[in-house]
Every structure is written in structure tokens, then in C-alpha cells.
Amino acid sequence: MNTSQPRAIYYVVALQIWEYFSFYGMRALLILYLTNQLKYDDNHAYELFSAYCSLVYVTPILGGFLADKLLGNRMAVMIGAFLMVVGHLVLGASEMAPVFLYLSLAIIVCGYGLFKSNVSCLLGELYHPEDPRRDGGFSLLYAAGNIGSIVAPIACGYVQQEYSWAMGFALAAIGMLAGLVIFLCGNRHFTHTAGVNKAALHARQFGLPNWGWLLVLLVATPLLITVLFWKEWSVYALIVATVIGLGVLAKIYTKAENSKQRKELGLIVVLTFFSMLFWAFAQQGGSSISLYIDRFVNRDIFGYEVPTAMFQSVNGFAVMLCGVVLAWLIKEGVSGNRTVRIWGKFALGLGLMSAGFCILTLSARWSAAYGHSSMPLMVLGMAVMGFAELFIDPVAMSQITRIEIPGVTGVLTGIYMLLSGAIANYLAGVIADQTSQSAFDAAGAVNYAIDAYIDVFSEITWGALACVGAVLVIWLYQALKFRARRLAAQA
């Protein structure tokens, strides 16, 4: 039996590394760019940042549809990567006019939609359905992405501080371009994957061939999203997407054939709700926490001021390091009730999130007392928050893939990403906005209120702890029910 991975996977992995480098490098700079360079007030910056982070979880639904019907996964991924290169280059020109800022973010959102929903599907095409190498391939892809997310904030943050904002964004574009070039060099290894559906592209609909409508869509969608950013209307797009998603979920529930399937769906719905709250807290890392670090944390090491953007690497590093340790230490047993274990892991993840924000609250109180906080304390808090992620998404996604309702796994995954990604990022923006309390001194300089950060970090600490309490109640109920069933079976 051949145990080596197909050659094509290494080109997909390289593309994934550079896509993560591009996306997370730009993301680490964005909130700082809006406030420090463009001089947006915190409210406006949080609004735009959360809108951008929300819409990148909505467009993959359209991207997946286009790949399935017209483009194929390989072509969709290449077009998506190219659009992200263009978007990051346009972002570098946004200091000249706000329209370039909105347009660049819109182009990146569209590129991400075509890329993110299809790169995993492309990887899946490299294997036969029963190929035992499949799980190893997806593990490799996940690990590779984390490498990009660790390196990107360090590299882009350094280039931005030493040269310019435009150079920082250009480095993100160069990274994505490098990934695309590497991928194209391995094109001969993908000849067996599905290509462009030429018959469907040339079929006519409403007076135009589908390729014509595709071009219209590729031009109109970035322009539409630009308007959503400009007019601050992105929340309406989220509402529409959420209503449709919940409607589809209700339809799946009504078509469930038995109580076991309905119970599994109910479990997924509740897990998704707590995941949404978890990520609304966790996504403070790119917004309010980043601005807190920039304003109130002593970043000096032997005379060198560490760029704020570099702190975004802490999360990815914690996920990788703790993930390896957990994989080595924990061996999942077959005994016991799986539902009980699921709620136990969720309680641990939410508890770690609460602990991370407790450390951040301590850091903010230290800043209030002494004018600034220490960098190690900040790194510790962010690392604990990164560790918490390992007990949320992997657990929820594993449960979704286990559901015994045919043909709904992909839809449920999309709904999960919509709620725990798009809606969570919108809520994260609402939470972050509570830190935007500032005043002007007699000289006209801005004084940011450290008390606002103390209040918000403390409220998140208690909010996450309240979620832990709710999850523990569910865990205890499930444990007692399982014990009662086992005793009844023994009797």
C-alpha cells in the first residue's frame, strides 16, 4: 500500500501557507492602519474591521457554488488568489482616497470567498474516497496554514514599522503572489482534478452565456461590497444571510427521519450558539486587544520597540504548540458517553477564554496604576486564549461530520461558519466598540480611557465564565442521564 502523499498536495500546502501569510499579515495591520495612519476614530475603525471580518465568512458560500457549477475547484482557487493579490496592492494606495480602502477590502473579500471554500475541496480531489492518506493530508494542510499565520504578523509588522504601511501590505500581496506562482508550477500534477465546466460556461441564460454572467458577477460583486463598506450597510447583508441559513437549518430539522437525527441537530445548534459567543470574545484579538497593546503595553526590548502587529503571532503559535502537546498526551477512549465529553471540552475551552481575559484585565489594571503593562503578561493572556480554541471548533466540526443525515454535512458546515464566523465577528465589533472611549486634553491630544478596556475585558471574563456555568449544567445533565441509562441496562 502506498503511504506517501500525492505530489500535488505539496503545491496545495505551499499555496495555503502563503494564503494564510497574506490574509493574517494584512489583518494584523488593518486596525492599526485605520486608527494610526488614516486617523479614523475607534468607532469607525471597529465598524469597518468587523464588517470586513464578517463578510469574508459569507462570500465562501457563493464561491463554493461557482466552483461546483462552473469553474471547478482548481480554477476558483487560482482566481481567488489573484484577486487577493490585487486587493492587497490596491490597499497600499488607500491613503490617497477612502474609495481605494473600501474597494481593496471588497476585492480581498471576493478573493477569499473563491479561495477559502474551495482549497479544501481541491485537496479532497487528490484522494479516492477510501484513501487512508486523506486524514494525514488535511492535517498537513491545517498545520501549514498555522505556519503562515505565525510568520505573517512578524514579517509584515516589521516591514511596516521599518518602511511604510504600503510596504507592509505589499509584502502580504507578494506572499500571495509567491504562493500562486508555486501552485502554477505544479499544474501538471492536477490534470486529474475537475477543470472548468466548458459546456456550462457556454450555455446561455437570459440572453448571455454563463461566462458573460460570470464576468458581470466578478465585476459587480466587489462594487456591491464596496458600497456596503462605504455606506456601513454590511449588517443588512449579514441579516439576509443569517435568515437564509436559519431557514435552511429549519428545513433540515423538519426533514429529519427520527428522534436520533433531531437530537444530533439540536446538539449542533447549541454547540454553534456557544461557539458564536466564544468567537465574539476571541476575535477581540485583532481589534480592541490590538489597540490596547498599541496604547498601553510596554513593547520595548533592549531599546527596540516590538511592532504591535507581531503580537498577532502569539495566537497561531499557541494553537500549534498546544495542539501538538494535546495530540501526544490525550488519546480519545471509546468508553463513556461522547456527548458528555463534548460538553466537557466546551466547558474547558470557554474556561480558558475566561482565564485569558482575566489575565488581560489584570494587565489593564496594571496599566491604569503604572501607565503601562508588561509584555510577558500580555503574551501569556493571548497564549491562553489561543489554547482555548483547540476545544471549540475541532469539537464542533467533528460532531457535524458525524451526523447521520445524508447530504447535509456541507450545508451545516456553511451555517456553522456563518454563525461562528460572520455573526461572531459582527458581535465582536459591537463589543470592541465599548472600548472606544476617549477625550482630548488642553493641547488637543487624544487621551484613551484605560478604564474602558478594564470594563470590557472584565465583562468578557465574567461573560465567558457564565457560559462555562451554562455548559456545565448541560454536561451534568448529560452525565446523570448517561449514568441512569447504564444502571438501567445493568439491572
Side-chain angles (χ1 to χ4, degrees), residues 167-372:
M167 287 295 292
F169 294 130
L171 182 60
I174 292 169
M176 189 69 263
L177 183 61
L180 181 57
V181 170
I182 293 171
F183 183 76
L184 290 173
C185 289
N187 203 44
R188 67 186 184 277
H189 298 293
F190 294 90
T191 53
H192 64 290
T193 61
V196 174
N197 188 335
K198 294 182 180 179
L201 273 178
H202 288 90
R204 299 184 73 85
Q205 301 270 355
F206 305 107
L208 278 180
N210 282 332
W211 63 262
W213 288 115
L214 180 61
L215 289 177
V216 170
L217 188 66
L218 289 175
V219 173
T221 304
L223 295 178
L224 173 62
I225 296 176
T226 300
V227 173
L228 294 180
F229 286 142
W230 177 39
K231 293 292 188 179
E232 299 183 355
W233 288 346
S234 59
V235 64
Y236 301 116
L238 290 179
I239 291 172
V240 171
T242 302
V243 169
I244 294 172
L246 294 178
V248 171
L249 183 61
K251 186 176 180 180
I252 293 173
Y253 187 85
T254 57
K255 289 189 175 182
E257 297 177 355
N258 51 57
S259 60
K260 181 181 179 183
Q261 291 181 349
R262 286 189 287 272
K263 181 187 287 187
E264 289 176 341
L265 276 172
L267 174 60
I268 289 172
V269 168
V270 181
L271 288 175
T272 301
F273 172 75
F274 282 108
S275 295
M276 181 178 67
L277 295 179
F278 175 90
W279 285 109
F281 301 150
Q283 294 297 354
Q284 298 303 307
S287 54
S288 64
I289 292 175
S290 188
L291 291 185
Y292 167 73
I293 294 170
D294 194 56
R295 295 163 180 171
F296 295 107
V297 174
N298 180 11
R299 296 175 280 119
D300 183 79
I301 298 181
F302 303 116
Y304 175 73
E305 187 175 56
V306 177
T308 302
M310 287 188 180
F311 284 81
Q312 297 300 309
S313 293
V314 174
N315 182 274
F317 184 79
V319 170
M320 279 200 70
L321 178 62
C322 297
V324 170
V325 172
L326 280 178
W328 180 60
L329 290 178
I330 298 177
K331 304 296 181 184
E332 188 80 44
V334 295
S335 61
N337 183 271
R338 177 164 48 88
T339 304
V340 173
R341 293 198 302 271
I342 287 171
W343 288 118
K345 290 176 181 178
F346 254 62
L348 181 56
L350 287 161
L352 287 169
M353 180 58 63
S354 179
F357 270 98
C358 184
I359 295 171
L360 264 57
T361 304
L362 176 62
S363 172
R365 292 188 183 279
W366 193 332
S367 298
Y370 302 104
H372 58 76

Side-chain angles (χ1 to χ4, degrees), residues 144-183:
N146 275 289
I147 293 172
S149 68
I150 292 169
V151 175
I154 297 173
C156 293
Y158 175 81
V159 169
Q160 176 273 314
Q161 180 160 297
E162 295 298 319
Y163 298 99
S164 67
W165 292 99
M167 287 295 292
F169 294 130
L171 182 60
I174 292 169
M176 189 69 263
L177 183 61
L180 181 57
V181 170
I182 293 171
F183 183 76

